[in-house]
Amino acid sequence: MRSRRRGDLVRILRKGHASSQREIVKALRAAGHDVTQATVSRDLRAIGATKVRAGDELVYRLPDDGRAAPASLAPRGVAEVLAEFALDVRPAAALVVVTTAPGHAAAVARAIDLAGVDDVVGTVAGDDTVFVATARADAARRVAGAWSKAFGWKG
């Protein structure tokens, strides 16, 4: 439940218009989460979100730069991290398996988690492998295909 809520929180922040915790509570409730301001405050701290100036207002942003992620399945941040560290990407049932150089799986998993990719439910990282959970096998194939195509891997 918490990971789904935090995933929705990341998507809300990626849209770039959350200027108060009250707005975030309202958006999370609209997404089906029974949250309080205290829960939102803890979640913001846990994901490293901070308030920054955006034009004439202050808004909550993520530490990776806070700009809204493009609609593609290889958003900014994920694309850079995959290009630098990933060796292979392939679907496996409802998972996407990302193989990395030793010691780099955590960085790849974090970039994927922070990106808020719609089809991604969450990640589990080992030393050189990331399991990217999706809700269905077709979503895993779609994500793996998009990432593989973007970087010329077999997928």
Side-chain angles (χ1 to χ4, degrees):
M1 186 64 155
R2 179 175 59 187
S3 63
R4 190 175 142 260
R5 182 184 68 237
R6 286 186 179 168
D8 286 343
L9 174 59
V10 166
R11 281 187 276 286
I12 291 165
L13 296 181
R14 289 271 178 212
K15 290 179 182 177
H17 304 293
S19 61
S20 72
Q21 290 183 8
R22 183 178 306 158
E23 288 178 32
I24 295 169
V25 167
K26 188 175 181 179
L28 285 171
R29 286 181 178 165
H33 301 283
D34 184 22
V35 296
T36 64
Q37 181 274 328
T39 300
V40 167
S41 180
R42 283 190 298 273
D43 285 351
L44 287 168
R45 193 170 33 258
I47 65 172
T50 58
K51 255 190 168 177
V52 298
R53 181 159 303 285
D56 293 337
E57 64 181 343
L58 292 173
V59 296
Y60 283 96
R61 297 286 191 193
L62 295 167
D64 62 343
D65 84 356
R67 285 186 266 171
S72 77
L73 293 175
R76 181 172 144 48
V78 172
E80 293 168 357
V81 172
L82 286 173
E84 186 171 349
F85 299 118
L87 303 175
D88 187 37
V89 175
R90 60 188 167 345
L95 296 174
V96 176
V97 179
V98 180
T99 306
T100 71
H104 292 90
V108 171
R110 176 123 171 100
I112 292 168
D113 287 338
L114 289 175
V117 177
D118 286 337
D119 284 327
V120 172
V121 177
T123 62
V124 176
D127 183 55
D128 62 358
T129 305
V130 180
F131 290 152
V132 181
T134 66
R136 297 170 315 282
D138 64 318
R141 286 190 302 274
R142 189 169 44 252
V143 171
W147 289 346
S148 294
K149 182 179 178 184
F151 299 101
W153 297 315
K154 284 191 284 184

